[in-house]
Amino acid sequence: MNHIRNFCIIAHIDHGKSTIADRLLEYTDTIQITEGQMLDDMDLEKERGITIKSHAIQMNYEKDGEKYMLNLIDTPGHVDFSYEVSRSIAACEGAILVVDATQGVQAQTISNLYMAIDNDLEIIPVINKIDMPAAMPDEVEDEIIELIGCDRSDIIRASGKTGEGIPEILDAVIERIPHPVGDPDAPLQALIFDSVFNSFRGIIAYFKIQNGSIRKGDKVKFFNTGMEYDADEVGVLKMDMIPRKEMTTGEVGYIISGIKDAKEVKVGDTITHVSTPCEKAISGFQEVKPMVFAGVYPIDPAEYENLRASLEKLQLNDASLTFQPESSVALGFGFRCGFLGLLHMEIVQERLDREFNMDVITTVPNVSYMVYDKQGGVKEVHNPSGLPDATMIDRIEEPYIKATIITDANYIGGIMKLCLDKRGELVKQDYVSGNRVELHFMIPLGEIVIDFYDKLKSISKGYASFDYHIDSFRPSKLAKLDILLNGEPVDALSTLTHNDNAVTFGRRMCEKLKDLIPRQQFDIAIQAAIGAKIIARETIKCVRKDVTAKCYGGDVSRKRKLLEKQKKGKKRMKQIGNVEVPQKAFLAVLKLD
């Protein structure tokens, strides 16, 4: 165990975690780098240049004649994937904190750092991209010292591009990060921190052994679900999976036991032996709390069961996705899914399409509200259509978040206006260092769900960084806004919005839908309503044939008679015609501005 080191790489988005991970793998001769970002193997990750999944890999390294086994986990940086980071941290004893020499400390840097400190990890600060012309290593060093109170000599300057500083990082990992502690002779206790679905081998679970050891062929059971299996194969994670006969305390690896049902593997569960089980599960693993809810429906209703299977397989690979069945008048049967944010929602939709060939419609995202009725009962509502009648409601409480925004002082005015327009309250502001300001706001989660992050980036020219966590529920004046097409409500477009914004939001939605819904043979009335009160209306005019073309000359009553006949036909058509709402209309509501 003295020669094992488990560590992860944490940083803000785009500070160069995956590049440094690749350099470490190259330096230890684990893999040959043939193209950029070897660990980000998903097509989506390569296209967008972001890490979506944590990746675990083992390296062997020799120092002073001693051989060490280093288990590295590369983590995502985006706030929507912070759950991946928390799981990776649970399987480590140390963390490399990467800070971009051109950008300095950002919001996600601080948030991920606190997560690591809460888990008592040893922190190794690294300044990356020092080869860039715009690098400011001295200023960034001051920021890091202020943030974690380390010595200047503890900070390693490196470059993922040129490979400078990589040997120093490996030496620091061996010298500063403690080896795992545990009892190899105790009953087996292994923490599952990730899992993937393989169509040939079933579900593969990744684990870290806290106590005891596991051999191939052992009878094991999963503590929380109580299910028992044979360990068909155990091994370590390199670029591919390498089978081993036995794995002992402190090691990170995988187990294949022919599990077919996705519900049987829970991330955060404990693996133990059937014959000599451990007394209690490994504690301290946090449950995921979805922030944004949206309905996901198959375009073809016959695909409902396939969609369920696809979501279950996706959930194995992405434990922060939650879903439950629901039905809608307009869209039939589907699922109400919980996501950690809008980027997460977009990635899940994209992965359903690419990995499982599922065509889905996603409804307008919203958050969960607490609805108190006049009898004193309380109900959690994720969907506007689940609201009780307005006469029954005593009050509605909505979730508020504590938002931390770090920005250049030049952009404070625009950012403050944006947050105040979103019903935010300024809690405090601190000058971090030089020209950098840290702003703390309390903002309703429902206001930031749709387009807040994009606006923040455009106001601050990409400089501001944003991080948030749920704080509490507070009473709000909310109204349910319905969209009616020819008097029929489209429940997939209904939203809960604040009373003050309802009229303008309703008007903008009607105007947007007028552009997006194709013209039919009959007039379509688009109305926005709160309860029985119509607050906005637009009409899509029907497509008409020129029925009077054949009347040249003669009395005007001939023309009128033909027009009246056409009008009756249109009216009849309107009664039986139904309006198809294109997927573009659901997406447009997200980008209303």
Side-chain angles (χ1 to χ4, degrees):
M1 266 203 296
N2 297 345
H3 291 113
I4 298 176
R5 300 286 183 276
N6 300 320
F7 67 101
C8 58
I9 302 186
I10 55 176
H12 188 77
I13 187 167
D14 213 17
H15 279 202
K17 296 175 292 300
S18 301
T19 317
I20 281 198
D22 282 355
R23 287 287 97 57
L24 291 170
L25 295 173
E26 194 174 38
Y27 190 80
T28 55
D29 288 331
T30 308
I31 53 172
Q32 295 296 310
I33 303 286
T34 49
E35 52 181 325
Q37 310 312 32
M38 294 293 284
L39 280 183
D40 292 349
D41 49 7
M42 210 188 292
D43 288 345
L44 264 175
E45 292 180 317
K46 286 180 177 160
E47 280 169 29
R48 291 176 178 241
I50 57 175
T51 305
I52 293 169
K53 282 289 301 163
S54 296
H55 298 274
I57 192 163
Q58 190 182 85
M59 306 180 281
N60 296 326
Y61 183 60
E62 198 168 312
K63 182 177 188 291
D64 306 334
E66 304 247 352
K67 287 189 173 169
Y68 290 92
M69 185 160 65
L70 312 178
N71 291 309
L72 150 76
I73 303 180
D74 176 29
T75 65
H78 198 283
V79 67
D80 280 13
F81 304 115
S82 56
Y83 188 60
E84 289 279 330
V85 183
S86 78
R87 300 199 329 233
S88 309
I89 285 174
C92 293
E93 281 83 34
I96 296 176
L97 179 74
V98 179
V99 182
D100 188 332
T102 60
Q103 296 183 37
V105 172
Q106 304 271 305
Q108 242 355 70
T109 315
I110 297 174
S111 141
N112 287 343
L113 172 71
Y114 287 159
M115 223 190 286
I117 290 172
D118 286 347
N119 280 290
D120 296 332
L121 299 198
E122 180 64 39
I123 308 290
I124 299 175
V126 172
I127 298 181
N128 189 22
K129 307 192 188 180
I130 57 162
D131 58 313
M132 301 275 279
M136 326 168 280
D138 296 334
E139 290 92 321
V140 176
E141 265 186 12
D142 295 340
E143 286 179 20
I144 294 175
I145 290 166
E146 200 172 307
L147 182 66
I148 55 179
C150 60
D151 293 334
R152 198 170 283 277
S153 58
D154 291 344
I155 301 172
I156 300 169
R157 295 189 180 190
S159 161
K161 200 173 180 181
T162 63
E164 188 183 335
I166 297 298
E168 288 85 346
I169 294 176
L170 284 165
D171 291 347
V173 165
I174 288 166
E175 286 157 17
R176 296 193 219 166
I177 292 178
H179 61 77
V181 288
D183 180 358
D185 302 321
L188 171 68
Q189 255 188 326
L191 172 77
I192 300 179
F193 65 88
D194 204 353
S195 56
V196 291
F197 180 79
N198 181 312
S199 44
F200 300 107
R201 318 215 47 188
I203 290 154
I204 303 168
Y206 297 162
F207 61 79
K208 178 200 173 189
I209 302 178
Q210 306 273 46
N211 290 309
S213 62
I214 183 170
R215 295 180 71 88
K216 182 181 173 175
D218 282 357
K219 265 208 137 359
V220 294
K221 80 167 182 182
F222 287 15
F223 205 89
N224 291 342
T225 56
M227 306 295 278
E228 299 183 359
Y229 308 101
D230 290 324
D232 297 337
E233 187 182 304
V234 293
V236 295
L237 296 155
K238 296 259 177 136
M239 212 52 199
D240 298 313
M241 296 185 288
I242 314 272
R244 284 272 193 83
K245 287 226 170 65
E246 183 178 25
M247 309 266 302
T248 60
T249 306
E251 292 196 297
V252 172
Y254 69 91
I255 177 169
I256 299 176
S257 44
I259 307 171
K260 292 285 183 281
D261 189 358
K263 292 190 190 71
E264 293 174 24
V265 179
K266 288 264 185 295
V267 168
D269 202 348
T270 304
I271 304 175
T272 186
H273 280 128
V274 173
S275 51
T276 51
C278 56
E279 287 173 17
K280 61 180 199 302
I282 299 166
S283 61
F285 205 87
Q286 62 180 48
E287 270 296 302
V288 60
K289 293 195 288 286
M291 305 283 185
V292 176
F293 295 89
V296 173
Y297 294 88
I299 286 178
D300 175 7
E303 292 282 295
Y304 175 72
E305 282 304 325
N306 291 351
L307 178 60
R308 181 198 296 274
S310 306
L311 283 168
E312 281 176 357
K313 285 172 190 167
L314 197 56
Q315 193 178 34
L316 276 176
N317 201 266
D318 178 358
S320 48
L321 169 70
T322 58
F323 64 92
Q324 63 204 53
E326 72 162 5
S327 62
S328 137
V329 183
L331 301 168
F333 290 101
F335 295 93
R336 180 122 208 104
C337 297
F339 308 97
L340 293 183
L342 271 194
L343 176 71
H344 185 208
M345 175 172 134
E346 207 178 306
I347 295 290
V348 166
Q349 215 175 326
E350 191 87 5
R351 285 182 71 183
L352 279 172
D353 180 31
R354 290 187 182 199
E355 295 172 28
F356 305 101
N357 290 328
M358 294 299 309
D359 282 337
V360 293
I361 289 180
T362 312
T363 64
V364 183
N366 42 40
V367 298
S368 54
Y369 298 91
M370 290 295 181
V371 179
Y372 291 83
D373 59 28
K374 290 183 175 165
Q375 280 76 39
V378 62
K379 179 183 174 189
E380 190 175 354
V381 173
H382 300 312
N383 196 346
S385 59
L387 268 187
D389 190 52
T391 52
M392 305 293 293
I393 297 173
D394 178 40
R395 68 181 191 280
I396 301 178
E397 292 190 355
E398 64 175 336
Y400 268 70
I401 56 160
K402 237 183 199 142
T404 308
I405 297 170
I406 297 180
T407 176
D408 208 86
N410 307 334
Y411 307 118
I412 287 187
I415 289 174
M416 284 219 177
K417 182 177 183 311
L418 170 69
C419 293
L420 296 173
D421 286 349
K422 297 277 186 190
R423 299 189 284 132
E425 300 162 17
L426 180 65
V427 180
K428 63 171 180 174
Q429 70 182 67
D430 303 319
Y431 279 82
V432 187
S433 62
N435 202 24
R436 308 267 298 291
V437 186
E438 190 175 351
L439 301 169
H440 296 266
F441 279 94
M442 293 293 284
I443 308 177
L445 180 59
E447 293 282 348
I448 69 150
V449 155
I450 291 181
D451 55 0
F452 179 80
Y453 193 65
D454 299 345
K455 284 186 180 168
L456 179 70
K457 283 291 180 196
S458 51
I459 287 172
S460 64
K461 299 195 170 65
Y463 276 106
S465 58
F466 171 67
D467 181 49
Y468 61 89
H469 56 264
I470 285 280
D471 184 69
S472 57
F473 279 81
R474 299 188 187 178
S476 282
K477 285 186 182 163
L478 296 168
K480 180 186 172 192
L481 182 74
D482 286 315
I483 298 292
L484 314 175
L485 295 180
N486 283 344
E488 290 291 321
V490 182
D491 59 351
L493 287 173
S494 60
T495 47
L496 272 173
T497 176
H498 196 263
N499 271 358
D500 303 346
N501 310 338
V503 176
T504 49
F505 187 66
R507 199 167 289 148
R508 287 197 341 240
M509 255 171 82
C510 289
E511 286 164 8
K512 194 84 181 178
L513 288 170
K514 185 183 177 184
D515 298 337
L516 290 167
I517 293 176
R519 287 172 71 186
Q520 306 278 352
Q521 296 280 332
F522 48 88
D523 282 359
I524 303 172
I526 305 171
Q527 294 167 311
I530 294 175
K533 184 183 172 193
I534 304 290
I535 55 170
R537 171 181 171 131
E538 293 285 337
T539 308
I540 301 176
K541 284 294 180 196
C542 58
V543 185
R544 306 193 89 133
K545 178 180 165 191
D546 188 0
V547 287
T548 59
K550 60 178 188 264
C551 295
Y552 49 93
D555 189 37
V556 74
S557 59
R558 284 177 64 201
K559 284 187 180 175
R560 197 163 291 139
K561 194 164 137 196
L562 283 168
L563 289 170
E564 285 298 322
K565 192 173 162 190
Q566 186 189 32
K567 197 171 169 185
K568 277 185 190 143
K570 297 278 179 203
K571 192 175 173 186
R572 230 182 6 257
M573 213 183 272
K574 184 175 180 174
Q575 286 165 354
I576 56 164
N578 63 347
V579 185
E580 286 288 313
V581 183
Q583 169 71 2
K584 281 201 307 236
F586 294 111
L587 297 177
V589 180
L590 311 187
K591 301 194 169 69
L592 262 191
D593 203 39

